Amino acid sequence: MTLLVTKNPARTILIDGEWRESLSHSTFPVTDPATGAVIGRASDGGAEDTAAAIAAAAAAFDSWAGTTAHQRSAVLAEAERIMRIRQKELAALMTSEQGKPIKAAMNEVGYAADFLAWFAEEAKRIGGVAVPSARADQRFITMRQPVGVVAAITPWNYPISMLTRKLAPALAAGCTSVLKPAALTPLCAVATMEVLLEAGVPAGVLNMVTSSRAAAVGDTMVESPQVRKLTFTGSTAIGKQLAAKAAGSLKRVSMELGGHAPFIVFADADPVRAAKGAALVKFLNAGQACISPNRIYVHRSHYEKFVDTLTERVRALKVGAGESPGVSVGPLINERAVTKMESQVLDALEKGARLTVGGKRMEVDGLDGKTFFAPTVLADVTPEMLISYEETFGPVAAVMPFDDEDEVIAKANDTDYGLAAYVYTNDLSTAIRVTEKLRFGMVGVNDINPTSASAPFGGVKASGLGREGGYEGIDEYLDTKLIGIAV
Ligand code: ADP
Protein backbone atom coordinates (compact mmCIF):
# COMPACT_ATOMS: atom_id res chain seq x y z
CA MET A 1 0.00 0.00 0.00
CA THR A 2 1.36 3.39 -0.95
CA LEU A 3 -0.04 6.23 1.13
CA LEU A 4 2.25 8.44 -0.96
CA VAL A 5 0.13 11.41 -0.12
CA THR A 6 1.27 11.45 3.50
CA LYS A 7 4.94 12.02 2.64
CA ASN A 8 6.32 15.44 3.37
CA PRO A 9 4.77 17.83 2.46
CA ALA A 10 1.59 15.99 3.35
CA ARG A 11 -1.08 16.02 0.68
CA THR A 12 -4.03 14.41 2.36
CA ILE A 13 -6.77 16.72 1.17
CA LEU A 14 -8.67 15.20 -1.74
CA ILE A 15 -10.48 17.65 -4.00
CA ASP A 16 -11.72 16.89 -7.49
CA GLY A 17 -9.57 13.77 -7.74
CA GLU A 18 -6.35 15.51 -6.73
CA TRP A 19 -4.39 15.08 -3.51
CA ARG A 20 -3.53 18.54 -2.22
CA GLU A 21 -1.85 20.39 0.61
CA SER A 22 -4.06 22.64 2.68
CA LEU A 23 -4.34 26.18 1.36
CA SER A 24 -2.50 27.33 4.49
CA HIS A 25 0.28 24.74 3.83
CA SER A 26 -0.02 23.64 7.45
CA THR A 27 0.09 20.05 8.65
CA PHE A 28 -0.49 18.20 11.90
CA PRO A 29 1.19 15.08 13.29
CA VAL A 30 -0.37 11.65 13.56
CA THR A 31 0.80 9.47 16.43
CA ASP A 32 0.77 5.82 17.43
CA PRO A 33 -1.24 5.76 20.67
CA ALA A 34 0.80 2.88 22.10
CA THR A 35 4.15 4.62 21.84
CA GLY A 36 3.38 8.29 21.29
CA ALA A 37 5.66 8.14 18.22
CA VAL A 38 4.80 10.34 15.24
CA ILE A 39 3.92 8.00 12.34
CA GLY A 40 2.93 10.55 9.72
CA ARG A 41 1.50 13.96 8.98
CA ALA A 42 -1.77 15.16 7.56
CA SER A 43 -2.71 18.39 5.83
CA ASP A 44 -4.53 20.76 8.13
CA GLY A 45 -7.52 21.92 6.13
CA GLY A 46 -9.75 24.81 7.08
CA ALA A 47 -12.87 26.61 5.92
CA GLU A 48 -11.52 27.47 2.46
CA ASP A 49 -10.35 23.94 1.72
CA THR A 50 -13.76 22.71 2.78
CA ALA A 51 -15.55 25.22 0.55
CA ALA A 52 -13.43 24.05 -2.40
CA ALA A 53 -14.24 20.41 -1.61
CA ILE A 54 -17.96 21.19 -1.44
CA ALA A 55 -17.76 23.03 -4.77
CA ALA A 56 -16.06 20.00 -6.35
CA ALA A 57 -18.72 17.66 -4.97
CA ALA A 58 -21.48 19.95 -6.23
CA ALA A 59 -19.89 20.15 -9.70
CA ALA A 60 -19.60 16.34 -9.92
CA PHE A 61 -23.15 15.68 -8.72
CA ASP A 62 -25.16 15.71 -11.94
CA SER A 63 -22.83 13.38 -13.73
CA TRP A 64 -22.58 10.85 -10.85
CA ALA A 65 -26.32 11.01 -10.22
CA GLY A 66 -26.77 10.33 -13.93
CA THR A 67 -24.86 7.04 -13.91
CA THR A 68 -26.83 3.82 -13.83
CA ALA A 69 -27.26 1.92 -10.61
CA HIS A 70 -25.38 -0.94 -12.24
CA GLN A 71 -22.38 1.29 -12.96
CA ARG A 72 -22.28 2.52 -9.37
CA SER A 73 -22.69 -1.02 -8.12
CA ALA A 74 -19.72 -2.17 -10.19
CA VAL A 75 -17.48 0.53 -8.69
CA LEU A 76 -18.49 -0.45 -5.15
CA ALA A 77 -17.95 -4.14 -5.86
CA GLU A 78 -14.47 -3.36 -7.19
CA ALA A 79 -13.72 -1.30 -4.07
CA GLU A 80 -14.76 -4.26 -1.94
CA ARG A 81 -12.42 -6.52 -3.90
CA ILE A 82 -9.46 -4.15 -3.50
CA MET A 83 -10.15 -3.59 0.19
CA ARG A 84 -10.16 -7.33 0.88
CA ILE A 85 -6.87 -7.73 -1.02
CA ARG A 86 -5.39 -4.98 1.18
CA GLN A 87 -6.99 -6.21 4.39
CA LYS A 88 -3.69 -6.96 6.13
CA GLU A 89 -2.00 -3.70 5.18
CA LEU A 90 -5.02 -1.65 6.13
CA ALA A 91 -5.28 -3.49 9.45
CA ALA A 92 -1.59 -2.88 10.20
CA LEU A 93 -2.03 0.82 9.48
CA MET A 94 -5.12 0.93 11.69
CA THR A 95 -3.31 -0.75 14.58
CA SER A 96 -0.46 1.73 14.43
CA GLU A 97 -2.72 4.77 14.11
CA GLN A 98 -5.65 3.82 16.34
CA GLY A 99 -4.21 1.11 18.60
CA LYS A 100 -6.64 -1.80 18.37
CA PRO A 101 -5.11 -5.28 18.25
CA ILE A 102 -4.31 -6.57 14.79
CA LYS A 103 -7.03 -9.24 14.90
CA ALA A 104 -9.67 -6.62 15.76
CA ALA A 105 -8.29 -4.38 13.01
CA MET A 106 -8.58 -7.26 10.51
CA ASN A 107 -12.19 -7.73 11.60
CA GLU A 108 -12.89 -4.05 11.18
CA VAL A 109 -11.48 -3.94 7.64
CA GLY A 110 -13.65 -6.97 6.84
CA TYR A 111 -16.68 -5.14 8.27
CA ALA A 112 -15.78 -2.04 6.23
CA ALA A 113 -15.62 -4.17 3.05
CA ASP A 114 -19.01 -5.69 3.96
CA PHE A 115 -20.59 -2.22 3.63
CA LEU A 116 -19.10 -1.86 0.14
CA ALA A 117 -20.51 -5.26 -0.79
CA TRP A 118 -23.93 -4.62 0.76
CA PHE A 119 -24.44 -1.25 -0.88
CA ALA A 120 -23.11 -2.51 -4.22
CA GLU A 121 -26.19 -4.73 -4.14
CA GLU A 122 -28.56 -2.16 -2.66
CA ALA A 123 -27.70 0.32 -5.44
CA LYS A 124 -29.59 -1.95 -7.82
CA ARG A 125 -32.67 -2.02 -5.62
CA ILE A 126 -33.41 1.71 -5.57
CA GLY A 127 -36.87 1.52 -7.01
CA GLY A 128 -40.18 3.32 -6.78
CA VAL A 129 -43.81 2.28 -6.60
CA ALA A 130 -47.04 2.75 -8.54
CA VAL A 131 -49.72 4.13 -6.24
CA PRO A 132 -53.48 3.93 -7.02
CA SER A 133 -55.17 7.30 -7.32
CA ALA A 134 -58.71 8.20 -6.24
CA ARG A 135 -59.17 9.81 -9.64
CA ALA A 136 -59.90 7.58 -12.60
CA ASP A 137 -57.93 9.87 -14.89
CA GLN A 138 -54.79 9.94 -12.77
CA ARG A 139 -51.82 7.66 -12.11
CA PHE A 140 -49.14 8.06 -9.44
CA ILE A 141 -45.62 6.73 -9.53
CA THR A 142 -42.68 7.47 -7.26
CA MET A 143 -38.99 7.54 -7.97
CA ARG A 144 -36.15 7.86 -5.52
CA GLN A 145 -33.33 10.24 -6.25
CA PRO A 146 -30.03 11.12 -4.55
CA VAL A 147 -30.33 13.94 -1.97
CA GLY A 148 -27.34 15.84 -3.36
CA VAL A 149 -23.98 16.69 -1.79
CA VAL A 150 -23.33 14.79 1.45
CA ALA A 151 -21.07 15.99 4.28
CA ALA A 152 -19.74 13.11 6.39
CA ILE A 153 -17.94 13.52 9.73
CA THR A 154 -16.42 10.39 11.23
CA PRO A 155 -14.78 9.36 14.54
CA TRP A 156 -11.45 7.73 15.37
CA ASN A 157 -12.64 4.55 17.12
CA TYR A 158 -13.62 2.70 13.92
CA PRO A 159 -11.52 4.66 11.43
CA ILE A 160 -12.30 2.66 8.27
CA SER A 161 -15.69 1.00 8.75
CA MET A 162 -17.38 4.25 9.80
CA LEU A 163 -16.27 5.71 6.48
CA THR A 164 -17.62 2.96 4.25
CA ARG A 165 -20.83 2.81 6.31
CA LYS A 166 -21.50 6.39 5.13
CA LEU A 167 -19.69 6.67 1.80
CA ALA A 168 -20.89 3.36 0.32
CA PRO A 169 -24.61 4.16 0.59
CA ALA A 170 -23.93 7.73 -0.56
CA LEU A 171 -22.12 6.42 -3.64
CA ALA A 172 -24.77 3.77 -4.25
CA ALA A 173 -27.54 6.38 -4.10
CA GLY A 174 -25.78 8.66 -6.59
CA CYS A 175 -24.66 11.31 -4.10
CA THR A 176 -21.28 13.04 -4.07
CA SER A 177 -19.55 13.58 -0.72
CA VAL A 178 -17.10 15.57 1.36
CA LEU A 179 -15.59 13.64 4.25
CA LYS A 180 -13.94 15.00 7.36
CA PRO A 181 -12.27 12.13 9.19
CA ALA A 182 -11.22 12.40 12.84
CA ALA A 183 -7.94 14.24 13.40
CA LEU A 184 -6.58 11.24 15.29
CA THR A 185 -6.98 8.84 12.34
CA PRO A 186 -6.54 10.65 9.01
CA LEU A 187 -4.17 8.03 7.56
CA CYS A 188 -6.81 5.30 7.64
CA ALA A 189 -9.09 7.73 5.82
CA VAL A 190 -6.44 8.38 3.16
CA ALA A 191 -5.97 4.63 2.67
CA THR A 192 -9.75 4.15 2.35
CA MET A 193 -10.00 6.92 -0.23
CA GLU A 194 -7.13 5.34 -2.18
CA VAL A 195 -9.12 2.11 -2.38
CA LEU A 196 -12.22 3.93 -3.61
CA LEU A 197 -10.33 6.00 -6.18
CA GLU A 198 -8.55 2.94 -7.49
CA ALA A 199 -11.91 1.21 -7.84
CA GLY A 200 -12.96 3.91 -10.28
CA VAL A 201 -14.81 6.56 -8.28
CA PRO A 202 -14.58 9.58 -10.62
CA ALA A 203 -12.90 12.88 -9.69
CA GLY A 204 -15.05 15.12 -7.49
CA VAL A 205 -17.44 12.35 -6.42
CA LEU A 206 -15.53 11.78 -3.17
CA ASN A 207 -13.63 14.62 -1.54
CA MET A 208 -11.93 14.77 1.83
CA VAL A 209 -10.61 17.46 4.13
CA THR A 210 -8.28 16.26 6.87
CA SER A 211 -8.07 18.79 9.66
CA SER A 212 -7.19 19.37 13.27
CA ARG A 213 -9.70 22.24 13.30
CA ALA A 214 -12.93 20.30 13.35
CA ALA A 215 -15.19 23.28 14.01
CA ALA A 216 -13.88 25.29 11.02
CA VAL A 217 -14.53 22.38 8.67
CA GLY A 218 -17.79 21.34 10.33
CA ASP A 219 -19.24 24.85 10.34
CA THR A 220 -18.45 25.32 6.66
CA MET A 221 -20.20 22.04 5.93
CA VAL A 222 -23.33 22.77 7.93
CA GLU A 223 -23.61 26.36 6.72
CA SER A 224 -23.23 25.53 3.02
CA PRO A 225 -26.56 25.58 1.19
CA GLN A 226 -25.00 23.20 -1.37
CA VAL A 227 -24.67 20.45 1.22
CA ARG A 228 -28.06 18.69 1.40
CA LYS A 229 -27.25 15.99 3.91
CA LEU A 230 -25.08 15.72 7.01
CA THR A 231 -24.10 12.35 8.38
CA PHE A 232 -22.18 12.39 11.65
CA THR A 233 -20.79 9.80 14.03
CA GLY A 234 -19.34 11.08 17.29
CA SER A 235 -20.33 12.49 20.63
CA THR A 236 -23.87 13.52 21.53
CA ALA A 237 -22.72 17.04 22.47
CA ILE A 238 -21.18 17.76 19.06
CA GLY A 239 -23.97 15.93 17.24
CA LYS A 240 -26.59 18.19 18.82
CA GLN A 241 -24.63 21.31 17.89
CA LEU A 242 -24.23 20.20 14.29
CA ALA A 243 -27.88 19.14 13.94
CA ALA A 244 -28.98 22.53 15.27
CA LYS A 245 -26.77 24.36 12.77
CA ALA A 246 -27.85 22.06 9.92
CA ALA A 247 -31.44 23.10 10.62
CA GLY A 248 -30.52 26.56 9.30
CA SER A 249 -30.61 25.19 5.76
CA LEU A 250 -32.94 22.26 6.56
CA LYS A 251 -30.43 19.58 5.68
CA ARG A 252 -31.22 15.93 6.09
CA VAL A 253 -29.26 14.65 9.11
CA SER A 254 -28.20 11.25 10.39
CA MET A 255 -26.59 11.13 13.79
CA GLU A 256 -24.84 8.15 15.35
CA LEU A 257 -24.04 9.40 18.83
CA GLY A 258 -23.09 8.13 22.25
CA GLY A 259 -24.50 5.19 24.13
CA HIS A 260 -24.80 3.84 27.66
CA ALA A 261 -25.70 0.23 27.03
CA PRO A 262 -27.33 -1.86 29.74
CA PHE A 263 -26.40 -5.56 29.84
CA ILE A 264 -29.03 -7.53 31.77
CA VAL A 265 -28.55 -11.08 33.03
CA PHE A 266 -31.81 -12.69 34.18
CA ALA A 267 -32.21 -15.46 36.76
CA ASP A 268 -32.88 -18.14 34.11
CA ALA A 269 -29.69 -17.34 32.14
CA ASP A 270 -26.38 -19.14 32.49
CA PRO A 271 -24.23 -16.66 34.46
CA VAL A 272 -20.97 -18.14 33.22
CA ARG A 273 -21.92 -17.80 29.56
CA ALA A 274 -23.18 -14.29 30.21
CA ALA A 275 -19.96 -13.32 32.02
CA LYS A 276 -17.87 -14.66 29.15
CA GLY A 277 -19.97 -12.63 26.74
CA ALA A 278 -19.59 -9.51 28.87
CA ALA A 279 -15.80 -9.96 29.07
CA LEU A 280 -15.65 -10.19 25.28
CA VAL A 281 -17.92 -7.32 24.30
CA LYS A 282 -16.93 -4.89 27.06
CA PHE A 283 -13.23 -4.97 26.21
CA LEU A 284 -13.51 -4.90 22.42
CA ASN A 285 -11.53 -1.93 21.14
CA ALA A 286 -10.52 -1.36 24.80
CA GLY A 287 -14.13 -0.39 25.50
CA GLN A 288 -14.00 2.46 23.00
CA ALA A 289 -17.26 1.66 21.25
CA CYS A 290 -20.62 3.38 21.46
CA ILE A 291 -22.34 0.00 21.88
CA SER A 292 -20.03 -1.11 24.70
CA PRO A 293 -21.97 -2.26 27.82
CA ASN A 294 -21.78 0.52 30.37
CA ARG A 295 -24.06 -0.90 33.08
CA ILE A 296 -24.16 -4.61 33.76
CA TYR A 297 -27.23 -5.67 35.80
CA VAL A 298 -27.11 -9.23 37.14
CA HIS A 299 -29.94 -11.02 38.95
CA ARG A 300 -28.98 -11.32 42.61
CA SER A 301 -29.15 -15.14 42.46
CA HIS A 302 -26.22 -15.14 39.97
CA TYR A 303 -24.42 -12.04 41.14
CA GLU A 304 -21.34 -13.50 42.86
CA LYS A 305 -20.88 -16.24 40.26
CA PHE A 306 -21.06 -13.66 37.49
CA VAL A 307 -18.65 -11.24 39.16
CA ASP A 308 -16.17 -14.04 39.87
CA THR A 309 -16.24 -15.36 36.31
CA LEU A 310 -15.99 -11.91 34.78
CA THR A 311 -13.10 -11.02 37.07
CA GLU A 312 -11.24 -14.20 36.21
CA ARG A 313 -11.75 -13.63 32.48
CA VAL A 314 -10.69 -10.00 32.69
CA ARG A 315 -7.56 -10.87 34.66
CA ALA A 316 -6.55 -13.16 31.78
CA LEU A 317 -6.85 -10.45 29.11
CA LYS A 318 -3.46 -9.59 27.65
CA VAL A 319 -2.82 -5.86 27.39
CA GLY A 320 -0.21 -4.42 25.06
CA ALA A 321 0.60 -2.80 21.76
CA GLY A 322 -1.84 -4.01 19.12
CA GLU A 323 0.96 -5.51 17.02
CA SER A 324 2.09 -7.90 19.81
CA PRO A 325 0.87 -11.48 19.48
CA GLY A 326 -1.91 -12.56 21.81
CA VAL A 327 -2.86 -9.02 22.85
CA SER A 328 -6.59 -8.53 23.17
CA VAL A 329 -6.68 -5.08 24.77
CA GLY A 330 -4.64 -2.29 23.19
CA PRO A 331 -3.93 1.26 24.35
CA LEU A 332 -6.59 3.91 24.77
CA ILE A 333 -6.58 6.61 22.13
CA ASN A 334 -4.76 9.20 24.27
CA GLU A 335 -3.81 10.09 27.80
CA ARG A 336 -6.98 12.10 28.32
CA ALA A 337 -8.98 8.89 27.91
CA VAL A 338 -6.86 7.26 30.64
CA THR A 339 -7.46 10.20 32.96
CA LYS A 340 -11.20 9.80 32.41
CA MET A 341 -10.98 6.11 33.41
CA GLU A 342 -9.08 7.08 36.55
CA SER A 343 -11.68 9.64 37.55
CA GLN A 344 -14.64 7.29 36.94
CA VAL A 345 -12.95 4.52 38.94
CA LEU A 346 -11.94 6.85 41.78
CA ASP A 347 -15.44 8.32 41.97
CA ALA A 348 -16.95 4.82 42.11
CA LEU A 349 -14.55 3.63 44.81
CA GLU A 350 -15.20 6.73 46.93
CA LYS A 351 -18.92 6.00 46.69
CA GLY A 352 -18.54 2.37 47.78
CA ALA A 353 -17.90 0.26 44.66
CA ARG A 354 -15.80 -2.88 45.01
CA LEU A 355 -12.77 -3.22 42.72
CA THR A 356 -12.18 -6.86 41.80
CA VAL A 357 -9.46 -6.43 39.16
CA GLY A 358 -7.53 -3.62 37.46
CA GLY A 359 -8.35 -0.05 38.38
CA LYS A 360 -5.16 1.70 37.41
CA ARG A 361 -2.81 2.80 34.65
CA MET A 362 -0.40 0.21 33.32
CA GLU A 363 3.14 0.32 32.08
CA VAL A 364 3.49 -2.03 29.14
CA ASP A 365 6.86 -3.16 27.80
CA GLY A 366 8.41 0.26 28.28
CA LEU A 367 5.93 1.86 25.85
CA ASP A 368 5.51 5.49 26.75
CA GLY A 369 2.26 6.52 25.11
CA LYS A 370 0.85 6.75 28.68
CA THR A 371 -2.28 5.21 27.23
CA PHE A 372 -2.64 1.85 28.91
CA PHE A 373 -5.31 1.28 31.52
CA ALA A 374 -5.74 -2.10 33.16
CA PRO A 375 -8.98 -3.91 32.25
CA THR A 376 -11.15 -3.26 35.27
CA VAL A 377 -14.20 -4.70 37.00
CA LEU A 378 -16.16 -2.63 39.50
CA ALA A 379 -18.84 -4.50 41.45
CA ASP A 380 -21.64 -3.06 43.61
CA VAL A 381 -21.96 0.03 41.42
CA THR A 382 -24.85 2.35 42.36
CA PRO A 383 -26.78 5.00 40.38
CA GLU A 384 -24.99 7.90 42.14
CA MET A 385 -21.65 6.93 40.61
CA LEU A 386 -20.47 8.77 37.49
CA ILE A 387 -20.03 5.50 35.63
CA SER A 388 -23.77 4.82 36.00
CA TYR A 389 -24.72 7.75 33.83
CA GLU A 390 -21.63 9.06 32.02
CA GLU A 391 -20.42 7.19 28.94
CA THR A 392 -17.22 5.33 29.89
CA PHE A 393 -15.62 4.62 26.50
CA GLY A 394 -12.89 2.56 28.08
CA PRO A 395 -11.99 -0.78 29.67
CA VAL A 396 -14.02 -0.53 32.88
CA ALA A 397 -16.95 -2.91 33.51
CA ALA A 398 -19.53 -1.72 36.05
CA VAL A 399 -21.64 -4.47 37.64
CA MET A 400 -24.66 -4.23 39.94
CA PRO A 401 -27.31 -6.64 41.24
CA PHE A 402 -31.08 -6.47 40.66
CA ASP A 403 -34.06 -8.36 42.02
CA ASP A 404 -36.97 -7.90 39.68
CA GLU A 405 -37.82 -7.43 36.03
CA ASP A 406 -39.75 -4.16 36.27
CA GLU A 407 -37.02 -2.67 38.44
CA VAL A 408 -34.24 -3.57 36.00
CA ILE A 409 -36.17 -2.34 32.96
CA ALA A 410 -36.77 1.00 34.70
CA LYS A 411 -33.08 1.26 35.59
CA ALA A 412 -31.93 0.27 32.11
CA ASN A 413 -34.17 2.92 30.54
CA ASP A 414 -33.14 5.59 33.04
CA THR A 415 -30.64 7.24 30.68
CA ASP A 416 -30.77 9.89 27.99
CA TYR A 417 -29.05 7.45 25.65
CA GLY A 418 -30.73 4.70 23.62
CA LEU A 419 -28.27 2.90 21.35
CA ALA A 420 -27.58 -0.76 22.23
CA ALA A 421 -28.83 -3.03 25.01
CA TYR A 422 -28.06 -6.66 25.84
CA VAL A 423 -30.34 -9.23 27.47
CA TYR A 424 -29.39 -12.70 28.67
CA THR A 425 -32.33 -15.05 29.29
CA ASN A 426 -33.35 -18.54 28.27
CA ASP A 427 -37.03 -17.70 28.47
CA LEU A 428 -38.52 -16.63 25.15
CA SER A 429 -41.31 -14.65 26.79
CA THR A 430 -38.86 -12.71 28.94
CA ALA A 431 -36.70 -12.00 25.90
CA ILE A 432 -39.60 -10.58 23.90
CA ARG A 433 -41.30 -8.76 26.78
CA VAL A 434 -38.10 -7.07 27.91
CA THR A 435 -36.87 -6.28 24.40
CA GLU A 436 -40.16 -4.53 23.64
CA LYS A 437 -39.84 -2.36 26.74
CA LEU A 438 -36.19 -1.37 26.31
CA ARG A 439 -35.97 2.07 24.70
CA PHE A 440 -32.88 1.32 22.61
CA GLY A 441 -32.27 1.03 18.88
CA MET A 442 -30.56 -2.37 19.02
CA VAL A 443 -30.97 -5.27 21.44
CA GLY A 444 -28.69 -8.30 21.60
CA VAL A 445 -30.54 -11.31 23.06
CA ASN A 446 -27.94 -13.79 24.34
CA ASP A 447 -25.81 -12.13 21.65
CA ILE A 448 -22.90 -9.76 22.04
CA ASN A 449 -22.68 -8.51 18.50
CA PRO A 450 -26.02 -7.31 17.13
CA THR A 451 -24.32 -5.55 14.20
CA SER A 452 -23.78 -6.34 10.52
CA ALA A 453 -23.64 -4.43 7.25
CA SER A 454 -26.98 -6.05 6.42
CA ALA A 455 -28.67 -4.91 9.66
CA PRO A 456 -29.83 -1.40 10.61
CA PHE A 457 -27.52 0.26 13.16
CA GLY A 458 -28.68 3.27 15.12
CA GLY A 459 -30.19 4.68 18.24
CA VAL A 460 -33.10 6.56 19.77
CA LYS A 461 -33.20 9.54 22.16
CA ALA A 462 -29.77 11.16 22.66
CA SER A 463 -28.10 8.35 20.74
CA GLY A 464 -29.16 9.75 17.42
CA LEU A 465 -31.32 9.86 14.34
CA GLY A 466 -31.47 7.54 11.36
CA ARG A 467 -30.05 4.11 10.62
CA GLU A 468 -26.87 2.96 8.91
CA GLY A 469 -26.51 -0.32 7.03
CA GLY A 470 -29.37 -2.69 6.32
CA TYR A 471 -32.26 -1.89 3.98
CA GLU A 472 -32.72 1.43 5.75
CA GLY A 473 -29.13 2.61 5.27
CA ILE A 474 -29.57 3.85 1.72
CA ASP A 475 -32.85 5.67 2.45
CA GLU A 476 -30.87 8.30 4.34
CA TYR A 477 -29.32 9.37 1.02
CA LEU A 478 -32.47 9.36 -1.12
CA ASP A 479 -35.44 11.66 -1.59
CA THR A 480 -38.76 10.37 -2.86
CA LYS A 481 -40.23 12.16 -5.85
CA LEU A 482 -43.92 11.77 -6.65
CA ILE A 483 -45.15 12.00 -10.21
CA GLY A 484 -48.87 12.48 -10.79
CA ILE A 485 -49.92 11.82 -14.35
CA ALA A 486 -53.26 12.79 -15.87
CA VAL A 487 -54.26 10.19 -18.41
P1 ADP B 1 -15.21 11.73 20.07
O1 ADP B 1 -15.38 12.02 21.51
O2 ADP B 1 -15.62 10.37 19.63
O3 ADP B 1 -13.91 12.19 19.50
P2 ADP B 1 -16.38 14.00 18.76
O4 ADP B 1 -17.84 14.28 18.61
O5 ADP B 1 -15.55 14.99 19.47
O6 ADP B 1 -16.35 12.57 19.41
O7 ADP B 1 -15.72 13.73 17.36
C1 ADP B 1 -16.31 13.00 16.31
C2 ADP B 1 -16.00 13.69 15.01
O8 ADP B 1 -16.56 15.01 15.06
C3 ADP B 1 -14.52 13.89 14.72
O9 ADP B 1 -14.30 13.83 13.33
C4 ADP B 1 -14.28 15.29 15.22
O10 ADP B 1 -13.16 15.90 14.61
C5 ADP B 1 -15.56 15.96 14.79
N1 ADP B 1 -15.88 17.20 15.52
C6 ADP B 1 -15.57 17.54 16.79
N2 ADP B 1 -15.99 18.80 17.08
C7 ADP B 1 -16.61 19.27 15.96
C8 ADP B 1 -17.26 20.49 15.59
N3 ADP B 1 -17.41 21.50 16.45
N4 ADP B 1 -17.75 20.59 14.34
C9 ADP B 1 -17.62 19.57 13.46
N5 ADP B 1 -17.03 18.41 13.72
C10 ADP B 1 -16.53 18.23 14.96
Side-chain angles (χ1 to χ4, degrees), residues 10-249:
R11 291 174 181 276
T12 62
I13 292 178
L14 177 65
I15 297 177
D16 205 15
E18 238 181 66
W19 289 104
R20 304 188 188 174
E21 289 184 67
S22 69
L23 290 168
S24 64
H25 303 290
S26 53
T27 63
F28 62 97
V30 184
T31 56
D32 178 335
T35 61
V38 174
I39 56 168
R41 300 196 74 80
S43 312
D44 204 0
E48 287 175 4
D49 301 280
T50 310
I54 293 169
F61 176 73
D62 282 342
S63 122
W64 184 245
T67 57
T68 66
H70 287 68
Q71 287 169 322
R72 298 193 299 275
S73 174
V75 171
L76 285 163
E78 177 63 4
E80 182 215 352
R81 195 183 69 80
I82 298 172
M83 188 169 273
R84 292 203 198 280
I85 290 171
R86 293 198 191 152
Q87 187 167 9
K88 273 194 178 152
E89 294 156 272
L90 290 166
L93 173 67
M94 191 188 298
T95 295
S96 68
E97 187 180 37
Q98 191 268 338
K100 72 184 57 168
I102 213 72
K103 189 165 164 244
M106 287 289 287
N107 287 341
E108 182 182 338
V109 178
Y111 183 47
D114 290 347
F115 285 107
L116 299 170
W118 175 260
F119 287 109
E121 295 302 318
E122 287 302 283
K124 292 181 274 182
R125 302 199 178 98
I126 301 170
V129 290
V131 187
S133 166
R135 268 172 44 200
D137 67 346
Q138 185 183 47
R139 304 290 180 270
F140 284 132
I141 56 172
T142 65
M143 59 171 67
R144 293 196 297 158
Q145 294 186 304
V147 295
V149 174
V150 171
I153 301 182
T154 53
W156 50 265
N157 60 337
Y158 288 89
I160 295 188
S161 59
M162 294 304 97
L163 275 54
T164 57
R165 190 152 89 174
K166 297 180 188 309
L167 300 178
L171 286 167
C175 295
T176 55
S177 304
V178 179
L179 167 72
K180 192 206 80 63
L184 293 162
T185 53
L187 306 187
C188 280
V190 168
T192 304
M193 287 296 188
E194 286 182 339
V195 168
L196 288 158
L197 292 181
E198 216 171 301
V201 173
V205 171
L206 286 179
N207 306 274
M208 172 168 79
V209 182
T210 52
S211 177
S212 70
R213 294 170 285 153
V217 177
D219 286 352
T220 309
M221 287 173 157
V222 285
E223 281 160 16
S224 166
Q226 285 177 303
V227 172
R228 294 316 310 149
K229 156 93 193 174
L230 171 69
T231 172
F232 172 82
T233 299
S235 61
T236 294
I238 302 289
K240 283 181 179 171
Q241 282 176 24
L242 290 172
K245 288 181 187 168
S249 48

